[in-house]
């Protein structure tokens, strides 16, 4: 049993910044990869960024503006969002691929989402 909780969303003006956080807790042996997704109303959920134990990857539409990082000791992933645009408005979801202590199997878990609204 693993729970992910996001925080840090809010309402900002275009050009401003936000920092999202997601903390995982529960029966965690190790977290292989953590990621951020987002979903705007009426649109498909899309991948924003991923971070494994060695590499990071970004969607083209956020490259150069967003930075993903993780603190393994705290089981936490962050998304620093700079130069925000109106089109960044969405609910942002945390995802983690977790090897659980109970059986050693890798499961995918989702957080509840945190809303980001960017006004122009």
């Amino acid at each position: 049993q693993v729970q992910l909780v996001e925080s840090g969303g809010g309402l900002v003006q275009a050009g401003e910044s936000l920092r999202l956080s997601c903390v995982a807790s529960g029966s965690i042996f190790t977290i292989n990869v953590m990621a951020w997704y987002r979903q705007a109303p009426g649109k498909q959920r899309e991948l924003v960024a991923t971070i494994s134990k060695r590499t990071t990857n970004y969607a083209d539409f956020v490259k150069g503006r967003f930075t993903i990082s993780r603190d393994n000791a705290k089981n936490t992933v962050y998304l620093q969002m700079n130069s925000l645009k109106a089109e960044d408005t969405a609910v942002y979801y945390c995802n983690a691929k977790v090897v659980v202590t109970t059986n050693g199997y890798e499961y995918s878990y989702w957080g509840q989402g945190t809303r980001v609204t960017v006004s122009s």
Side-chain angles (χ1 to χ4, degrees), residues 34 36 47-52 55-60 62-63 68:
M34 304 185 83
W36 288 97
L47 180 65
V48 176
T50 66
I51 183 166
S52 69
T55 63
T56 59
N57 288 283
Y58 298 92
D60 287 341
V62 302
K63 197 168 296 182
I68 189 170

Side-chain angles (χ1 to χ4, degrees), residues 20-105:
L20 307 183
S21 299
C22 171
V23 59
S25 61
S27 302
I28 300 168
F29 178 75
T30 190
I31 302 177
N32 288 329
V33 60
M34 304 185 83
W36 288 97
Y37 291 75
R38 70 185 188 186
Q39 187 166 24
K43 300 196 174 187
Q44 293 183 331
R45 187 171 299 186
E46 61 185 354
L47 180 65
V48 176
T50 66
I51 183 166
S52 69
K53 294 182 178 181
R54 298 191 301 183
T55 63
T56 59
N57 288 283
Y58 298 92
D60 287 341
F61 55 81
V62 302
K63 197 168 296 182
R65 298 189 297 124
F66 292 7
T67 303
I68 189 170
S69 61
R70 64 189 283 182
D71 185 335
N72 293 330
K74 297 179 179 179
N75 290 323
T76 301
V77 63
Y78 306 94
L79 186 67
Q80 178 67 46
M81 305 186 295
N82 298 327
S83 302
L84 283 162
K85 307 173 181 179
E87 51 262 46
D88 294 319
T89 296
V91 176
Y92 284 71
Y93 296 91
C94 177
N95 176 264
K97 306 292 187 185
V98 181
V99 178
V100 299
T101 58
T102 50
N103 61 13
Y105 183 74

